[in-house]
Structures are given as C-alpha cells and as structure tokens.
Amino acid sequence: MRYLILLLGVLTSCTSLSKLDSESNSSLNRETRHVRAIFEEYHVYTQSFNRGDSLQIVSADFQLAQLPQLRSFLNRISSASLRNLTPSDSLSALVLSHFLRDQIEFLENEYFVLPLNGWFDYHTTFANLPIGRDTLAYLVKLADFPRLNDEYIALMRRGIRAGLVRPKEVFVQYLPTIEAHITDLAEESPWGRTLCSPREVICTLTPEQGLLVESVISEYRKLLDFLKNEYIPAGSDTPGIRSVPGGEAYYRYLVRHHVTYDISPDSVHAIGRREVARIRAEMEIAMRKTGFNGDFAEFLEYLRTDPKFYNRTPEELLMRTSLVLKKMDGQLPRLFGRLPRLPYGIIEIPAYMAPRMTTAYYSPGSVAANRAGNYAVNTYDLPSRPIYEIEALSFHEAVPGHHLQIALAQELDLPAFRQGMSFTAYTEGWALYSERLGLEVGFYTDPYSDFGRLSYEMWRALRLVVDTGIHWYGWTQAEAVEYMAVNSALSMHNIRSEVTRYTFWPGQALAYKMGEIHIRNLRAQQEAEMGSQFDLRKFHDAILSTGGIPLQLVTGK
C-alpha cells in the first residue's frame, strides 16, 4: 500500500518527508491543493476552540455539537484522490482519516462521560498550571476554573446515570491528589505560591488574588465531596470495564483506539501470553549468568530485598541516572543519522504526586517556549527503585526513547493539524524498542542490568495479559498483582500501582508492547529483504521521519 511504500522509500533513499514537499504552491496539482486545503480547514476548525486566556469547554453539549463537522471532514478526506499526492501528503490524509473515525466513534457513544483516567486529570494539571509571563491571563484561568469543574462533574453525573463509572477500588490513592491542594490559607496553595514572587520571604496576595485562589480551593473541596458522596458509591465493586453497561463494545473500542488498528482483546491476550513465555525463558538465562543458585522466585526475592540493589538517597538515584544517559548521548550517532537540537534535563517528580505516580515519565520541551524536555524521576520510596532498572528506564524515557522521538517530531515540516498529534502505540512502541537498543551500543554488560532490561520488557508484555485479563476476562486486581509478581522483578509497590493504573485507564497500557512488536517486526523484515544493504541508522531515521502515526500506517494492516 502507498503508506508502506512511503516508509520503504525513505529507508532506501534517506530523503526526509519535509524535502518531498518542497515544491512551490504554483506547481502543485489539483489533488494536492484540495487535500492541503482540507488539512488547513481542519486545523482552523480545531483552533477555533482556543478560548484565549479561558479554559477549554468540555460539556456534553459542546462535544456532541462537533459531530456534524467531524463527519463532514471525514467524508471529504475519504473521498479525496490520493493518487497524485506526495508521499507525506498521502500519509497525512490517512492519519486524518484514522483520527476522525476514532473521534466520531468516541463522541457517538458518549465515552466522554468517563473523563478521569488516574494519570494527569484536570485537577492535577490545573494544580501545575504555569503562570508564564502574564499574571492577568493566569488570574483569568483561576476565575474560569469553577465553570470547568462544574462541567467535569456534570459529565461524571451523566456517566452515573448511564452506569459508566470507574470502579470503587481505584480511588484509594486518588483522593489524596485532590486533598493535597486543599488548604485554609490561599497563600499555601499551589496557585497562591505561583502568584507570589520567589523573592518574597512571606507570600502576600492582593485581596482580589486571594478571593480567586480561595474560589479554586473551594472547587477542589466540591470535587472531593462529589467523588466521596456520589461518584465512588455509584462505582462497581468489580474492576473490569466489561461489567458496566456497554462495556464489551467500549473495551473493543479502547483496544482499537490505543493499539491503532483493529485487533480483538482475545488476540492481544494470546500475543501477551506468548511474549511472557519467551521473555521468561531469557530471564532464566540472565539469572544464571549472575551466578545465583536458587530458583526464579528466590532470585526475585533476592532482588527485591538486598540493599545493594537500591540507592540510599534521591541524589544517588539521580546521579546514576545522569551518568547512564550521558554515556548514551555519546553513542547516539551510531544509531541515528539525525539528532534533535532540543536538549533534555532530569527532574524529580513532585512530592505530592510521587506516591501514586509511576517510576518515571517524560515531559516534552519546546524551542518556542525556551523549555527543554524533562525526564522526571520518582525518588519516593527508594526501596522500590532498583539500580538494575536504571538503564532500561532511562533509555525509554529520555534517549533514544521519548525525548529523541518527540524532539525530532517537533522539527518536522508537518501539516499544522499534525503538529502535537500523538499516537501512544507509535510513541510508546518506539520508547520500548529503544530500551533494546542499549544492547547494540555496549550497555547491559552487568547481568543484573540485563535482567532488569528483560524485566522491563516483561512488564510491558504482562500488560497485554493483565489489561485484557481485568477488562475482558474478569480478573480481580489481586489476580493481576499475583500474575505480575511471579513473572517480573518489579517491586510490589510498582506492581500494585501499575495494576491500579490499568484498572483506571483500560486499554492504554496495551499500546507499548504492541507498538514495539510492530517496529521490531518491520526491522526484521527490512533486514531480511535488504541483507548487507540494510542501514540501521537510515532505518531509525525513517521511522522517526514520519512523526506520530497509527500502527496500521506503519505495518500496512
């Protein structure tokens, strides 16, 4: 198919997609002008939702009102001829078509009544709202938060009426993320501290600022009361989404949405079982290389309990992480022909988020905003952050994983509507694939670290089994925890946090391993077809030259 030909063509010619579109507008054929006009109109349409200094609108009426326009865009792009387009325009047309179909299905089924996923929900994002250079704009957002909070609560009440509610058990560690921002003193809140100058020894807000901050704190109390008194009591006692009304169709949608092609939950579960068996065999080999004489369960207990595998201080964890990444920086030219201009840094995950947050995450930077990318490391509960996982985790979150891919994508000459568009299976699939690249440039020489790499790969394979286990086959959280505990070296704290995450956010965790499998299979295919002509650097440059795309546009599915 044309999109597969596009990728293979880049592999052999190493021509960037942006250069393929360098012709002047006057020389463009009619099909190209027509499709690019649709791209521009769609971008203008999405930008019309930008409310300046005010916050976004999320009400059900507002979201449902978008359906006619989205259907119109889909009809137009689907009926457009792609025959005489440049490869990148053809690919962008297919990306837009895929995205619109997904959005329309989401809105038609009113899946927006489940707005919380336990990750960066609106209350957490708002607590970290930067003030920027415009204090007045920040105050406008504070004044608009009560309206936004009411709209989110209204969506969840709509979900209660439809029987679509998150299960009760996921809220044990969730409520503290709201309670952490409720204080009797406006100056001690995140918004009060943001408004105060860092040079102020004692923070003093103006009366107007104080009232606005107090109104936001009051809204957090309202959200907390709503969850405790209405939402959680309406939740299911079972964790699987299949148990709610329409849950079977919803989970099928979530699998398609996150994996980015049509595959059944049963097939995903079977793939996961095969991957778990393969990786488990490799872990047994790595374990023997360490010289350990016990069985697998005893080895896992040894890894989880021996102090030598853990950092003593947050600074020690950050220093080890920095050293690993600095060494990888020096190896990147062996793997890539093109590297990003934007640098990255390492930060700690904020203390109030850390107890419920995963081991680490990446926050994209911006050249326009003078902001580097940030690799956020969780220094909470150091006995759950083993040293032997540092290499794999760092390669995933920073380089050659998320930072490299996202920073390069920001430099591509893509249509405006695609700038910032992300598909988890592509982004996380690349990051998981990147963990394995350390093997090719001299890392994982310590057998414990190699076991850590395999444990991380196992972690993502386990997700295929556990996510479908919970939401398709009716597993309990305890069953999911047990399955992960006997097959990985992850700490029990991480395992419990992860299982809660999969329960809260069905389907999302499938994207990582499914994406990595597809990239790995494509590479194997190219190596077999091109033989000695295969160039790993060109292959990686080609994968990253498309920007974020659905897997079906990479594999031809």
Side-chain angles (χ1 to χ4, degrees):
M1 298 184 71
R2 187 178 181 90
Y3 42 80
L4 187 56
I5 293 171
L6 161 68
L7 188 55
L8 303 187
V10 176
L11 284 173
T12 55
S13 67
C14 199
T15 302
S16 72
L17 292 177
S18 60
K19 291 182 180 178
L20 292 173
D21 291 333
S22 61
E23 67 270 60
S24 65
N25 189 62
S26 61
S27 67
L28 298 178
N29 59 49
R30 184 172 62 181
E31 289 102 324
T32 298
R33 291 196 300 271
H34 174 62
V35 166
R36 290 187 180 181
I38 297 174
F39 295 164
E40 180 60 23
E41 288 177 40
Y42 177 72
H43 174 66
V44 170
Y45 171 72
T46 59
Q47 292 305 298
S48 68
F49 301 139
N50 187 333
R51 305 181 67 235
D53 295 336
S54 299
L55 302 170
Q56 76 270 29
I57 299 174
V58 299
S59 69
D61 288 344
F62 176 79
Q63 296 193 62
L64 291 172
Q66 298 175 37
L67 274 170
Q69 188 62 59
L70 295 180
R71 292 182 183 125
S72 174
F73 278 120
L74 178 59
N75 290 335
R76 290 172 63 195
I77 199 66
S78 298
S79 61
S81 172
L82 308 186
R83 182 181 307 171
N84 296 317
L85 299 182
T86 63
S88 59
D89 280 331
S90 179
L91 181 63
S92 291
L94 291 165
V95 170
L96 180 57
S97 179
H98 173 97
F99 184 79
L100 288 169
R101 285 192 177 91
D102 181 84
Q103 285 296 105
I104 289 169
E105 184 175 1
F106 176 83
L107 293 173
E108 286 178 339
N109 290 284
E110 298 194 13
Y111 293 146
F112 48 71
V113 300
L114 286 164
L116 305 181
N117 60 35
W119 199 241
F120 282 103
D121 289 325
Y122 74 101
H123 73 280
T124 303
T125 304
F126 196 74
N128 289 280
L129 186 69
I131 194 168
R133 300 177 181 176
D134 190 343
T135 302
L136 179 60
Y138 185 78
L139 295 175
V140 169
K141 288 183 171 65
L142 295 186
D144 198 31
F145 184 75
R147 189 268 313 159
L148 181 69
N149 195 39
D150 284 343
E151 289 184 1
Y152 271 111
I153 290 175
L155 288 180
M156 288 184 273
R157 285 193 172 120
R158 192 180 183 113
I160 292 173
R161 293 193 294 272
L164 284 170
V165 181
R166 298 297 185 197
K168 294 176 181 176
E169 57 192 316
V170 300
F171 288 97
V172 174
Q173 290 186 319
Y174 190 83
L175 295 181
T177 70
I178 304 169
E179 294 167 337
H181 308 302
I182 297 175
T183 174
D184 292 330
L185 294 176
E187 291 83 359
E188 293 182 358
S189 71
W191 311 280
R193 292 193 299 269
T194 299
L195 284 167
C196 288
S197 168
R199 293 185 295 272
E200 290 185 61
V201 177
I202 299 177
C203 177
T204 304
L205 302 177
T206 68
E208 293 80 7
Q209 291 174 341
L211 287 174
L212 284 176
V213 171
E214 288 170 3
S215 73
V216 171
I217 297 171
S218 176
E219 291 298 317
Y220 274 63
R221 290 193 179 97
K222 181 197 294 184
L223 174 61
L224 183 66
D225 290 343
F226 165 74
L227 291 177
K228 284 183 174 180
N229 300 321
E230 294 184 51
Y231 196 77
I232 296 174
S236 171
D237 292 319
T238 57
I241 197 68
R242 196 176 185 181
S243 65
V244 305
E248 181 173 329
Y250 182 40
Y251 190 63
R252 286 186 182 276
Y253 161 78
L254 289 171
V255 172
R256 291 195 306 275
H257 169 76
H258 290 294
V259 175
T260 64
Y261 65 83
D262 195 7
I263 186 171
S264 71
D266 294 301
S267 295
V268 172
H269 191 83
I271 291 170
R273 291 280 190 179
R274 290 195 297 271
E275 283 291 281
V276 167
R278 175 188 65 81
I279 300 166
R280 174 62 181 270
E282 293 185 24
M283 292 174 78
E284 294 277 358
I285 294 172
M287 179 184 73
R288 296 306 170 199
K289 288 183 178 179
T290 68
F292 186 80
N293 293 320
D295 62 20
F296 192 77
E298 290 170 335
F299 186 61
L300 296 186
E301 183 64 18
Y302 169 56
L303 293 178
R304 289 173 179 147
T305 57
D306 194 308
K308 73 179 180 182
F309 295 119
Y310 297 89
N311 297 285
R312 292 166 296 179
T313 66
E315 291 74 21
E316 187 176 346
L317 172 57
L318 294 170
M319 288 173 64
R320 288 181 187 273
T321 301
S322 300
L323 179 60
V324 163
L325 285 173
K326 196 59 183 175
K327 288 181 177 179
M328 175 54 85
D329 285 340
Q331 298 300 320
L332 293 178
R334 295 175 57 187
L335 299 169
F336 304 91
R338 182 184 178 193
L339 297 172
R341 293 172 294 178
L342 191 70
Y344 67 94
I346 300 175
I347 62 173
E348 290 184 76
I349 292 176
Y352 76 88
M353 292 173 59
R356 73 172 185 90
M357 188 54 66
T358 189
T359 308
Y361 61 83
Y362 172 74
S363 296
S366 168
V367 173
N370 302 319
R371 184 180 69 249
N374 274 319
Y375 171 31
V377 178
N378 199 332
T379 59
Y380 169 80
D381 190 20
L382 288 175
S384 69
R385 319 291 176 195
I387 293 169
Y388 53 79
E389 293 178 355
I390 288 176
E391 287 186 327
L393 177 63
S394 300
F395 300 156
H396 180 107
E397 299 294 346
V399 292
H402 283 324
H403 174 72
L404 190 80
Q405 182 262 312
I406 293 172
L408 280 173
Q410 292 175 340
E411 298 177 12
L412 295 176
D413 184 17
L414 298 175
F417 84 89
R418 289 189 59 198
Q419 294 172 12
M421 181 179 284
S422 177
F423 296 92
T424 303
Y426 173 92
T427 303
E428 296 294 351
W430 169 261
L432 178 51
Y433 169 83
S434 296
E435 293 178 23
R436 185 187 292 260
L437 290 180
L439 286 172
E440 303 184 47
V441 288
F443 291 91
Y444 305 118
T445 55
D446 182 345
Y448 289 106
S449 183
D450 193 40
F451 188 90
R453 173 189 68 82
L454 288 165
S455 183
Y456 262 47
E457 187 179 3
M458 175 66 88
W459 175 16
R460 280 39 170 263
L462 289 169
R463 288 173 169 177
L464 303 185
V465 180
V466 169
D467 195 290
T468 52
I470 292 171
H471 297 292
W472 195 248
Y473 295 107
W475 288 15
T476 64
Q477 282 199 319
E479 289 173 318
V481 167
E482 181 182 5
Y483 186 79
M484 293 188 72
V486 299
N487 283 295
S488 78
L490 293 169
S491 70
M492 295 307 298
H493 174 85
N494 277 351
I495 288 173
R496 293 188 185 96
S497 295
E498 287 294 310
V499 169
T500 297
R501 170 184 166 183
Y502 311 151
T503 306
F504 214 138
W505 199 359
Q508 190 271 347
L510 306 176
Y512 298 68
K513 189 62 180 171
M514 297 300 289
E516 182 259 351
I517 289 171
H518 279 76
I519 295 172
R520 186 156 43 89
N521 287 347
L522 182 60
R523 172 176 167 176
Q525 172 191 334
Q526 291 304 296
E527 287 175 326
E529 292 180 3
M530 300 178 70
S532 61
Q533 299 301 310
F534 178 79
D535 187 320
L536 183 59
R537 295 166 79 240
K538 288 183 179 181
F539 174 80
H540 290 155
D541 288 349
I543 292 291
L544 298 180
S545 71
T546 64
I549 58 176
L551 288 184
Q552 68 176 49
L553 303 186
V554 176
T555 65
K557 284 188 178 290

